Amino acid sequence: MSSKELYVARGTTADGNYALDIDPERAGWAYCSLRIVELEPGGTHTFTTGDSEWIVLPLQGGCTVRTADGTSDAEFQLLGRDNVFASVSDFAYAPRDARVQIASGAGGRFALAGAKCERQLPARYGPAPEVPVEERGSGTQLRHVRNFASADAFDCDKLIAVEVITPGGNWSSYPPHKHDEHRPGVEAELEEIYYFEIDGPNGFGYQRVSPSREGGSDVLAEVRSGDAVLVPDGWHGPSVAQPGHDMYYLNVMAGPGETREWRICFHPEHTEGYR
């Protein structure tokens, strides 16, 4: 996959339903998907989950999520948030083989993070107060991680998803790390999507992905709000935020492992003296 294909500029995958639409076919892999839905006040969007599980995550605004999977119906009121920098958000989980409707009285933007899966789990609500938030790193490597659907925080079949806020001028996804091999107890094989938003007008950041094997993924992209970077393999990081402009990214991950887990390997040339 070329560096041009790994960097997905805002609008390049937009269609009548989605401002961003990345599925396994588009990405050239097997599991991860990410869609961004923008609704006008009073707007609705309906989709079928197919062979994937999905999380509806408000980026801006709130919504009602209704699911029907043939055996049960569910409805969740998501309060959402003003924007991704304001706070964590509540969210809703929709199982595979279901029909989902998103309705927003005031309008808003909503991320649909998905992964092909095998089990049909029940539809559920994820309350914002229960989202674990951690500070990772220190100094100019400090960032705030919102583990709303991490492997140990919320039950999914394959999907792992977290949010990261990187203060302006800081580096995150550092040291560079990878998760492109199955090594039991050491490293899990996971595809990954980074979706970015930058605080303030004209803000930008940089995302690096470097090869972990001959011919592997290699990209250095300037990223702005609405852009995405695909990570099928390779060392990813750092993610660099422009001074004065905080950086947000949503990480969506999934892989073939029988156990849903996030195990990573740090780049050996960048770990000395870091901790």
Side-chain angles (χ1 to χ4, degrees), residues 120-199:
Q120 187 186 57
L121 302 178
R124 279 161 291 137
Y125 174 70
E130 295 183 12
V131 173
V133 179
E134 64 171 309
E135 287 190 352
R136 193 174 296 168
S138 61
T140 55
Q141 290 87 47
L142 175 70
R143 62 273 202 188
H144 308 278
V145 184
R146 303 165 177 169
N147 292 300
F148 70 96
S150 63
D152 56 357
F154 188 83
D155 189 29
C156 299
D157 187 29
K158 293 289 187 182
L159 178 64
I160 298 173
V162 303
E163 299 178 302
V164 179
I165 301 291
T166 306
N170 279 18
W171 285 21
S172 60
S173 281
Y174 190 82
H177 59 281
K178 74 181 186 76
H179 40 67
D180 56 14
E181 294 181 84
H182 175 62
R183 296 189 292 158
V186 177
E187 183 177 352
E189 183 181 351
L190 296 168
E191 307 159 353
E192 185 165 13
I193 302 170
Y194 278 66
Y195 167 77
F196 296 90
E197 296 198 4
I198 311 296
D199 191 24

Side-chain angles (χ1 to χ4, degrees), residues 54 134 154 202 250:
W54 296 86
E134 64 171 309
F154 188 83
N202 305 314
L250 169 63

Side-chain angles (χ1 to χ4, degrees), residues 6-153:
L6 291 175
Y7 167 65
V8 182
R10 178 178 181 174
T12 55
T13 64
D15 58 29
N17 294 315
Y18 304 112
L20 175 78
D21 188 0
I22 297 170
D23 61 14
E25 183 179 3
R26 162 66 180 80
W29 55 35
Y31 294 96
C32 284
S33 296
L34 178 63
R35 301 167 175 168
I36 305 297
V37 177
E38 297 179 346
L39 295 180
E40 297 292 332
T44 63
H45 174 67
T46 302
F47 70 100
T48 54
T49 60
D51 59 0
S52 295
E53 57 188 347
W54 296 86
I55 283 179
V56 180
L57 175 72
L59 301 175
Q60 183 176 19
C63 65
T64 300
V65 178
R66 300 180 179 90
T67 68
D69 61 18
T71 58
S72 62
D73 298 346
E75 179 174 307
F76 309 106
Q77 301 291 334
L78 303 187
L79 296 177
R81 52 191 166 185
D82 291 338
N83 59 69
V84 296
F85 299 99
S87 65
V88 298
S89 177
D90 51 357
F91 59 95
Y93 174 89
R96 61 168 292 164
D97 301 317
R99 185 175 183 271
V100 180
Q101 182 192 68
I102 304 169
S104 180
R109 292 183 301 107
F110 308 94
L112 308 181
K116 288 190 176 183
C117 65
E118 299 173 0
R119 295 184 296 151
Q120 187 186 57
L121 302 178
R124 279 161 291 137
Y125 174 70
E130 295 183 12
V131 173
V133 179
E134 64 171 309
E135 287 190 352
R136 193 174 296 168
S138 61
T140 55
Q141 290 87 47
L142 175 70
R143 62 273 202 188
H144 308 278
V145 184
R146 303 165 177 169
N147 292 300
F148 70 96
S150 63
D152 56 357

Side-chain angles (χ1 to χ4, degrees), residues 166-252:
T166 306
N170 279 18
W171 285 21
S172 60
S173 281
Y174 190 82
H177 59 281
K178 74 181 186 76
H179 40 67
D180 56 14
E181 294 181 84
H182 175 62
R183 296 189 292 158
V186 177
E187 183 177 352
E189 183 181 351
L190 296 168
E191 307 159 353
E192 185 165 13
I193 302 170
Y194 278 66
Y195 167 77
F196 296 90
E197 296 198 4
I198 311 296
D199 191 24
N202 305 314
F204 61 88
Y206 289 93
Q207 177 66 43
R208 179 72 170 117
V209 182
S210 54
S212 59
R213 62 189 72 159
E214 186 173 353
S217 299
D218 191 352
V219 63
L220 173 60
E222 182 174 291
V223 293
R224 299 177 183 272
S225 290
D227 292 351
V229 171
L230 310 181
V231 188
D233 59 80
W235 304 104
H236 36 295
S239 304
V240 182
Q242 178 189 9
H245 295 267
D246 291 352
M247 168 190 281
Y248 163 93
Y249 52 85
L250 169 63
N251 291 137
V252 181

